[in-house]
PDB file of all heavy atoms in Angstrom:
ATOM      1  N   GLU A   1      93.954-138.517  79.571  1.00 96.00           N
ATOM      2  CA  GLU A   1      93.834-137.304  80.367  1.00 96.00           C
ATOM      3  C   GLU A   1      92.396-136.791  80.333  1.00 96.00           C
ATOM      4  O   GLU A   1      91.755-136.784  79.279  1.00 96.00           O
ATOM      5  CB  GLU A   1      94.754-136.211  79.832  1.00 96.00           C
ATOM      6  CG  GLU A   1      96.228-136.466  80.067  1.00 96.00           C
ATOM      7  CD  GLU A   1      97.065-135.276  79.630  1.00 96.00           C
ATOM      8  OE1 GLU A   1      97.094-135.000  78.416  1.00 96.00           O
ATOM      9  OE2 GLU A   1      97.658-134.619  80.491  1.00 96.00           O
ATOM     10  N   LEU A   2      91.930-136.369  81.490  1.00 96.00           N
ATOM     11  CA  LEU A   2      90.610-135.756  81.598  1.00 96.00           C
ATOM     12  C   LEU A   2      90.785-134.246  81.564  1.00 96.00           C
ATOM     13  O   LEU A   2      91.530-133.683  82.362  1.00 96.00           O
ATOM     14  CB  LEU A   2      89.929-136.175  82.908  1.00 96.00           C
ATOM     15  CG  LEU A   2      88.569-135.526  83.183  1.00 96.00           C
ATOM     16  CD1 LEU A   2      87.525-136.010  82.197  1.00 96.00           C
ATOM     17  CD2 LEU A   2      88.117-135.803  84.607  1.00 96.00           C
ATOM     18  N   ILE A   3      90.102-133.600  80.622  1.00 96.00           N
ATOM     19  CA  ILE A   3      90.185-132.149  80.490  1.00 96.00           C
ATOM     20  C   ILE A   3      88.885-131.538  81.007  1.00 96.00           C
ATOM     21  O   ILE A   3      87.799-131.855  80.528  1.00 96.00           O
ATOM     22  CB  ILE A   3      90.389-131.736  79.012  1.00 96.00           C
ATOM     23  CG1 ILE A   3      91.643-132.407  78.451  1.00 96.00           C
ATOM     24  CG2 ILE A   3      90.487-130.219  78.894  1.00 96.00           C
ATOM     25  CD1 ILE A   3      91.807-132.239  76.954  1.00 96.00           C
ATOM     26  N   LEU A   4      89.021-130.675  81.999  1.00 97.00           N
ATOM     27  CA  LEU A   4      87.868-129.949  82.536  1.00 97.00           C
ATOM     28  C   LEU A   4      87.862-128.573  81.889  1.00 97.00           C
ATOM     29  O   LEU A   4      88.772-127.777  82.092  1.00 97.00           O
ATOM     30  CB  LEU A   4      87.980-129.828  84.056  1.00 97.00           C
ATOM     31  CG  LEU A   4      86.868-129.049  84.763  1.00 97.00           C
ATOM     32  CD1 LEU A   4      85.510-129.691  84.549  1.00 97.00           C
ATOM     33  CD2 LEU A   4      87.174-128.924  86.252  1.00 97.00           C
ATOM     34  N   ARG A   5      86.849-128.318  81.081  1.00 96.00           N
ATOM     35  CA  ARG A   5      86.840-127.075  80.297  1.00 96.00           C
ATOM     36  C   ARG A   5      85.632-126.214  80.640  1.00 96.00           C
ATOM     37  O   ARG A   5      84.502-126.692  80.659  1.00 96.00           O
ATOM     38  CB  ARG A   5      86.839-127.396  78.801  1.00 96.00           C
ATOM     39  CG  ARG A   5      87.096-126.176  77.933  1.00 96.00           C
ATOM     40  CD  ARG A   5      87.375-126.555  76.511  1.00 96.00           C
ATOM     41  NE  ARG A   5      86.190-127.012  75.807  1.00 96.00           N
ATOM     42  CZ  ARG A   5      86.202-127.912  74.818  1.00 96.00           C
ATOM     43  NH1 ARG A   5      87.345-128.455  74.452  1.00 96.00           N
ATOM     44  NH2 ARG A   5      85.089-128.260  74.230  1.00 96.00           N
ATOM     45  N   PHE A   6      85.903-124.955  80.899  1.00 96.00           N
ATOM     46  CA  PHE A   6      84.844-123.982  81.122  1.00 96.00           C
ATOM     47  C   PHE A   6      84.538-123.299  79.794  1.00 96.00           C
ATOM     48  O   PHE A   6      85.307-122.449  79.335  1.00 96.00           O
ATOM     49  CB  PHE A   6      85.296-122.934  82.150  1.00 96.00           C
ATOM     50  CG  PHE A   6      85.440-123.455  83.551  1.00 96.00           C
ATOM     51  CD1 PHE A   6      86.594-124.111  83.953  1.00 96.00           C
ATOM     52  CD2 PHE A   6      84.425-123.282  84.478  1.00 96.00           C
ATOM     53  CE1 PHE A   6      86.730-124.583  85.247  1.00 96.00           C
ATOM     54  CE2 PHE A   6      84.549-123.752  85.780  1.00 96.00           C
ATOM     55  CZ  PHE A   6      85.704-124.408  86.165  1.00 96.00           C
ATOM     56  N   ASP A   7      83.429-123.673  79.176  1.00 94.00           N
ATOM     57  CA  ASP A   7      83.001-123.029  77.931  1.00 94.00           C
ATOM     58  C   ASP A   7      82.178-121.796  78.302  1.00 94.00           C
ATOM     59  O   ASP A   7      80.953-121.785  78.164  1.00 94.00           O
ATOM     60  CB  ASP A   7      82.188-124.011  77.075  1.00 94.00           C
ATOM     61  CG  ASP A   7      83.042-125.153  76.541  1.00 94.00           C
ATOM     62  OD1 ASP A   7      84.218-124.913  76.236  1.00 94.00           O
ATOM     63  OD2 ASP A   7      82.538-126.278  76.432  1.00 94.00           O
ATOM     64  N   ASP A   8      82.865-120.770  78.755  1.00 95.00           N
ATOM     65  CA  ASP A   8      82.200-119.616  79.371  1.00 95.00           C
ATOM     66  C   ASP A   8      82.218-118.379  78.473  1.00 95.00           C
ATOM     67  O   ASP A   8      82.562-117.276  78.908  1.00 95.00           O
ATOM     68  CB  ASP A   8      82.869-119.296  80.717  1.00 95.00           C
ATOM     69  CG  ASP A   8      84.351-118.955  80.563  1.00 95.00           C
ATOM     70  OD1 ASP A   8      84.943-119.317  79.524  1.00 95.00           O
ATOM     71  OD2 ASP A   8      84.912-118.321  81.476  1.00 95.00           O
ATOM     72  N   THR A   9      81.852-118.570  77.208  1.00 95.00           N
ATOM     73  CA  THR A   9      81.947-117.448  76.263  1.00 95.00           C
ATOM     74  C   THR A   9      80.596-116.812  75.932  1.00 95.00           C
ATOM     75  O   THR A   9      80.504-116.013  75.005  1.00 95.00           O
ATOM     76  CB  THR A   9      82.629-117.910  74.957  1.00 95.00           C
ATOM     77  OG1 THR A   9      81.894-119.004  74.400  1.00 95.00           O
ATOM     78  CG2 THR A   9      84.059-118.340  75.216  1.00 95.00           C
ATOM     79  N   ASP A  10      79.566-117.162  76.678  1.00 92.00           N
ATOM     80  CA  ASP A  10      78.254-116.530  76.494  1.00 92.00           C
ATOM     81  C   ASP A  10      78.054-115.532  77.633  1.00 92.00           C
ATOM     82  O   ASP A  10      77.836-115.914  78.775  1.00 92.00           O
ATOM     83  CB  ASP A  10      77.148-117.585  76.506  1.00 92.00           C
ATOM     84  CG  ASP A  10      75.772-117.002  76.188  1.00 92.00           C
ATOM     85  OD1 ASP A  10      75.600-115.766  76.277  1.00 92.00           O
ATOM     86  OD2 ASP A  10      74.864-117.784  75.870  1.00 92.00           O
ATOM     87  N   THR A  11      78.154-114.245  77.307  1.00 90.00           N
ATOM     88  CA  THR A  11      78.011-113.219  78.344  1.00 90.00           C
ATOM     89  C   THR A  11      76.598-112.658  78.412  1.00 90.00           C
ATOM     90  O   THR A  11      76.301-111.832  79.271  1.00 90.00           O
ATOM     91  CB  THR A  11      78.976-112.050  78.096  1.00 90.00           C
ATOM     92  OG1 THR A  11      78.579-111.344  76.916  1.00 90.00           O
ATOM     93  CG2 THR A  11      80.399-112.551  77.926  1.00 90.00           C
ATOM     94  N   THR A  12      75.732-113.112  77.508  1.00 89.00           N
ATOM     95  CA  THR A  12      74.393-112.521  77.402  1.00 89.00           C
ATOM     96  C   THR A  12      73.304-113.439  77.939  1.00 89.00           C
ATOM     97  O   THR A  12      72.585-113.098  78.879  1.00 89.00           O
ATOM     98  CB  THR A  12      74.083-112.155  75.945  1.00 89.00           C
ATOM     99  OG1 THR A  12      75.114-111.299  75.444  1.00 89.00           O
ATOM    100  CG2 THR A  12      72.744-111.435  75.836  1.00 89.00           C
ATOM    101  N   VAL A  13      73.175-114.622  77.343  1.00 88.00           N
ATOM    102  CA  VAL A  13      72.094-115.535  77.720  1.00 88.00           C
ATOM    103  C   VAL A  13      72.453-116.323  78.976  1.00 88.00           C
ATOM    104  O   VAL A  13      71.631-116.496  79.874  1.00 88.00           O
ATOM    105  CB  VAL A  13      71.771-116.502  76.559  1.00 88.00           C
ATOM    106  CG1 VAL A  13      70.639-117.449  76.953  1.00 88.00           C
ATOM    107  CG2 VAL A  13      71.376-115.711  75.312  1.00 88.00           C
ATOM    108  N   LYS A  14      73.692-116.812  79.032  1.00 86.00           N
ATOM    109  CA  LYS A  14      74.124-117.629  80.169  1.00 86.00           C
ATOM    110  C   LYS A  14      75.426-117.089  80.748  1.00 86.00           C
ATOM    111  O   LYS A  14      76.483-117.727  80.654  1.00 86.00           O
ATOM    112  CB  LYS A  14      74.307-119.090  79.740  1.00 86.00           C
ATOM    113  CG  LYS A  14      73.029-119.766  79.279  1.00 86.00           C
ATOM    114  CD  LYS A  14      73.288-121.210  78.898  1.00 86.00           C
ATOM    115  CE  LYS A  14      71.997-121.906  78.478  1.00 86.00           C
ATOM    116  NZ  LYS A  14      72.231-123.332  78.109  1.00 86.00           N
ATOM    117  N   PRO A  15      75.387-115.895  81.355  1.00 88.00           N
ATOM    118  CA  PRO A  15      76.618-115.349  81.946  1.00 88.00           C
ATOM    119  C   PRO A  15      77.110-116.240  83.074  1.00 88.00           C
ATOM    120  O   PRO A  15      76.325-116.707  83.899  1.00 88.00           O
ATOM    121  CB  PRO A  15      76.188-113.973  82.451  1.00 88.00           C
ATOM    122  CG  PRO A  15      74.705-114.075  82.645  1.00 88.00           C
ATOM    123  CD  PRO A  15      74.216-115.008  81.584  1.00 88.00           C
ATOM    124  N   PRO A  16      78.407-116.502  83.120  1.00 91.00           N
ATOM    125  CA  PRO A  16      78.929-117.413  84.152  1.00 91.00           C
ATOM    126  C   PRO A  16      78.914-116.801  85.543  1.00 91.00           C
ATOM    127  O   PRO A  16      78.957-115.582  85.711  1.00 91.00           O
ATOM    128  CB  PRO A  16      80.365-117.680  83.686  1.00 91.00           C
ATOM    129  CG  PRO A  16      80.715-116.510  82.838  1.00 91.00           C
ATOM    130  CD  PRO A  16      79.450-116.061  82.187  1.00 91.00           C
ATOM    131  N   MET A  17      78.845-117.672  86.551  1.00 92.00           N
ATOM    132  CA  MET A  17      78.898-117.266  87.952  1.00 92.00           C
ATOM    133  C   MET A  17      80.337-117.424  88.438  1.00 92.00           C
ATOM    134  O   MET A  17      80.927-118.496  88.302  1.00 92.00           O
ATOM    135  CB  MET A  17      77.968-118.138  88.786  1.00 92.00           C
ATOM    136  CG  MET A  17      76.498-117.985  88.431  1.00 92.00           C
ATOM    137  SD  MET A  17      75.466-119.228  89.262  1.00 92.00           S
ATOM    138  CE  MET A  17      75.895-118.934  90.978  1.00 92.00           C
ATOM    139  N   LEU A  18      80.878-116.359  89.011  1.00 93.00           N
ATOM    140  CA  LEU A  18      82.282-116.376  89.418  1.00 93.00           C
ATOM    141  C   LEU A  18      82.594-117.507  90.398  1.00 93.00           C
ATOM    142  O   LEU A  18      83.650-118.139  90.319  1.00 93.00           O
ATOM    143  CB  LEU A  18      82.662-115.027  90.032  1.00 93.00           C
ATOM    144  CG  LEU A  18      83.009-113.912  89.045  1.00 93.00           C
ATOM    145  CD1 LEU A  18      83.287-112.625  89.790  1.00 93.00           C
ATOM    146  CD2 LEU A  18      84.210-114.304  88.187  1.00 93.00           C
ATOM    147  N   GLU A  19      81.668-117.774  91.345  1.00 92.00           N
ATOM    148  CA  GLU A  19      81.958-118.791  92.359  1.00 92.00           C
ATOM    149  C   GLU A  19      82.069-120.197  91.760  1.00 92.00           C
ATOM    150  O   GLU A  19      82.684-121.086  92.358  1.00 92.00           O
ATOM    151  CB  GLU A  19      80.895-118.776  93.453  1.00 92.00           C
ATOM    152  CG  GLU A  19      79.474-118.966  92.975  1.00 92.00           C
ATOM    153  CD  GLU A  19      78.732-117.664  92.710  1.00 92.00           C
ATOM    154  OE1 GLU A  19      79.382-116.700  92.246  1.00 92.00           O
ATOM    155  OE2 GLU A  19      77.519-117.616  92.961  1.00 92.00           O
ATOM    156  N   ALA A  20      81.505-120.382  90.563  1.00 93.00           N
ATOM    157  CA  ALA A  20      81.534-121.707  89.943  1.00 93.00           C
ATOM    158  C   ALA A  20      82.946-122.105  89.507  1.00 93.00           C
ATOM    159  O   ALA A  20      83.272-123.289  89.447  1.00 93.00           O
ATOM    160  CB  ALA A  20      80.589-121.756  88.743  1.00 93.00           C
ATOM    161  N   TYR A  21      83.795-121.111  89.195  1.00 96.00           N
ATOM    162  CA  TYR A  21      85.162-121.435  88.786  1.00 96.00           C
ATOM    163  C   TYR A  21      85.934-122.132  89.903  1.00 96.00           C
ATOM    164  O   TYR A  21      86.821-122.938  89.631  1.00 96.00           O
ATOM    165  CB  TYR A  21      85.899-120.160  88.374  1.00 96.00           C
ATOM    166  CG  TYR A  21      85.386-119.526  87.102  1.00 96.00           C
ATOM    167  CD1 TYR A  21      84.461-118.488  87.148  1.00 96.00           C
ATOM    168  CD2 TYR A  21      85.821-119.965  85.850  1.00 96.00           C
ATOM    169  CE1 TYR A  21      83.991-117.895  85.995  1.00 96.00           C
ATOM    170  CE2 TYR A  21      85.354-119.378  84.683  1.00 96.00           C
ATOM    171  CZ  TYR A  21      84.434-118.342  84.758  1.00 96.00           C
ATOM    172  OH  TYR A  21      83.956-117.768  83.602  1.00 96.00           O
ATOM    173  N   ASP A  22      85.601-121.805  91.150  1.00 95.00           N
ATOM    174  CA  ASP A  22      86.262-122.447  92.292  1.00 95.00           C
ATOM    175  C   ASP A  22      85.572-123.741  92.697  1.00 95.00           C
ATOM    176  O   ASP A  22      86.225-124.725  93.058  1.00 95.00           O
ATOM    177  CB  ASP A  22      86.293-121.491  93.484  1.00 95.00           C
ATOM    178  CG  ASP A  22      87.165-120.269  93.237  1.00 95.00           C
ATOM    179  OD1 ASP A  22      88.188-120.409  92.544  1.00 95.00           O
ATOM    180  OD2 ASP A  22      86.810-119.183  93.718  1.00 95.00           O
ATOM    181  N   SER A  23      84.236-123.749  92.638  1.00 94.00           N
ATOM    182  CA  SER A  23      83.496-124.912  93.137  1.00 94.00           C
ATOM    183  C   SER A  23      83.541-126.103  92.183  1.00 94.00           C
ATOM    184  O   SER A  23      83.579-127.256  92.621  1.00 94.00           O
ATOM    185  CB  SER A  23      82.036-124.529  93.413  1.00 94.00           C
ATOM    186  OG  SER A  23      81.346-124.199  92.220  1.00 94.00           O
ATOM    187  N   ILE A  24      83.534-125.853  90.890  1.00 96.00           N
ATOM    188  CA  ILE A  24      83.454-126.958  89.922  1.00 96.00           C
ATOM    189  C   ILE A  24      84.662-127.893  89.990  1.00 96.00           C
ATOM    190  O   ILE A  24      84.485-129.119  90.026  1.00 96.00           O
ATOM    191  CB  ILE A  24      83.219-126.417  88.492  1.00 96.00           C
ATOM    192  CG1 ILE A  24      81.769-125.930  88.368  1.00 96.00           C
ATOM    193  CG2 ILE A  24      83.520-127.475  87.438  1.00 96.00           C
ATOM    194  CD1 ILE A  24      81.430-125.280  87.037  1.00 96.00           C
TER     195      ILE A  24
END
């Protein structure tokens, strides 16, 4: 199984972009 994981727990240095959750 291939697991696609969003390691999005940095809110300060590398805040995630909302549109990336759909595009990735």
Side-chain angles (χ1 to χ4, degrees):
E1 289 186 294
L2 176 68
I3 303 171
L4 178 61
R5 191 168 73 211
F6 291 83
D7 292 325
D8 60 340
T9 57
D10 185 343
T11 68
T12 305
V13 180
K14 296 181 178 180
M17 296 171 56
L18 278 177
E19 56 267 35
Y21 292 96
D22 294 326
S23 66
I24 286 176

